[in-house]
Amino acid sequence: MLTGAGISAESGVPTFRDADGLWEGHRVEDVATPEAYDLKPTTVHRFYDARRAALLLVEPNQAHHALARLEESFGEQLLVVTQNIDDLHERAGSSRVLHMHGELNSALCRGCRQRSPWTSDLVDHPPCPRCGVSELRPDVVWFGEIPYEMERIHHALLRADLFVSIGTSGAVYPAAGFVQAAASYGARTLELNLQPSEGTDFFAEARHGPAGELVPAWVESLLSR
Ligand code: BV8
């Protein structure tokens, strides 16, 4: 299972595309690159501190809850790889979740390179809970950086017999290339998205509509077999 911003849209978390490529008024390259952080750390911190605080105002939706139900039945056979940095999959009850682009509720120390759970602001340069140095940055994967868990993801793609993509535009790599990899290893492929994604032609089947409707219906059809 691969998920993107579209699965959290109905929870009130803005997607990237529906803001005309602007993230809350910021150009992507101005807030989501290591270069931007070196140039304007306060702007970048404010951007992620605001998104972290906004997480407290939203709840998982029917699509998140349906995937948590699916995990109850499929257990180890199901893996959710998400591009999202929100915590809505886990708050809905999913535990088998890989955040390939990092998490808002985590901080990465540029001193000791360790990750620490973090739920408050970073703009005031608090000390790292592990090494005490004030070198904490948002624990998100910026453009030009290597995504997390690529080995586990490739292992799962190799073994998958069903690859389902939910709420993603297929515009950002390496995630956008997973459907072709899964298909080449013999998996059936299904896209569940509001509208055809940039990679829609790579999927054997596609259903278009809001995730809050499509995902529960698809999960029920799977569980009622
Ligand atoms: C890397 C964290 C090397 C930060 C993010 C040229 C060609 C190919 C690739 C590149 C290239 N130039 C540069 C690259 C690489 C670059 C890239 O892909 N650039 C793009 C722009 C061309 N990628 C990287 O830099 C990556 N690193 O490549 O390292 C490497 C490669 C392989 C192996 C090892 C090393 C790192 C990329 C990660 C960047 N960080 N996020 C943050 O969140 O602030 S990316 C961020 O943007 C998200 O995580 C996500 O990945 C992406 C947004 O995409 P979506 O989630 O799909 O959201 P979007 O708004 O676009 O679409 C929403 C979709 O939902 C739409 O289709 C819409 O129709 C649908 N929808 C809306 N509402 C609903 C809905 N669907 C259902 N229901 C609804 N209600």
Side-chain angles (χ1 to χ4, degrees), residues 109 111-112 114 125-136:
C109 179
C112 66
Q114 297 192 76
H125 300 293
C128 167
R130 299 174 186 272
C131 74
V133 171
S134 291
E135 278 288 345
L136 292 177

Side-chain angles (χ1 to χ4, degrees), residues 28 47 51 68 84 155 167 197 210 222:
V28 173
F47 174 68
R51 290 171 68 185
N84 299 343
H155 187 65
S197 72
L222 219 59

Side-chain angles (χ1 to χ4, degrees), residues 136-219:
L136 292 177
R137 58 160 269 186
D139 187 14
V140 296
V141 176
W142 285 323
F143 287 94
E145 295 185 323
I146 298 182
Y148 283 123
E149 306 277 10
M150 286 307 291
E151 240 173 274
R152 281 184 68 190
I153 293 170
H154 272 138
H155 187 65
L157 288 170
L158 264 171
R159 296 173 47 241
D161 42 53
L162 176 58
F163 175 85
V164 184
S165 174
I166 303 172
T168 185
S169 59
V172 172
Y173 289 78
F178 292 167
V179 58
Q180 291 157 286
S184 71
Y185 301 139
R188 283 181 300 118
T189 54
L190 170 64
E191 171 177 86
L192 302 176
N193 212 50
L194 192 62
Q195 66 219 86
S197 72
E198 293 183 18
T200 198
D201 298 340
F202 298 122
F203 289 85
E205 186 188 352
R207 302 177 194 172
H208 298 122
E213 291 167 22
L214 287 182
V215 179
W218 172 70
V219 166

Side-chain angles (χ1 to χ4, degrees), residues 66-98:
L67 294 185
R69 281 198 303 280
L70 199 60
E71 184 184 307
E72 279 162 24
S73 306
F74 281 74
E76 302 271 314
Q77 295 176 298
L78 177 77
L79 180 67
V80 174
V81 175
T82 187
Q83 300 166 79
N84 299 343
I85 60 176
D86 66 50
D87 61 349
L88 297 178
H89 280 301
E90 289 87 351
R91 282 163 55 189
S94 290
S95 61
R96 295 182 48 74
V97 182
L98 292 185

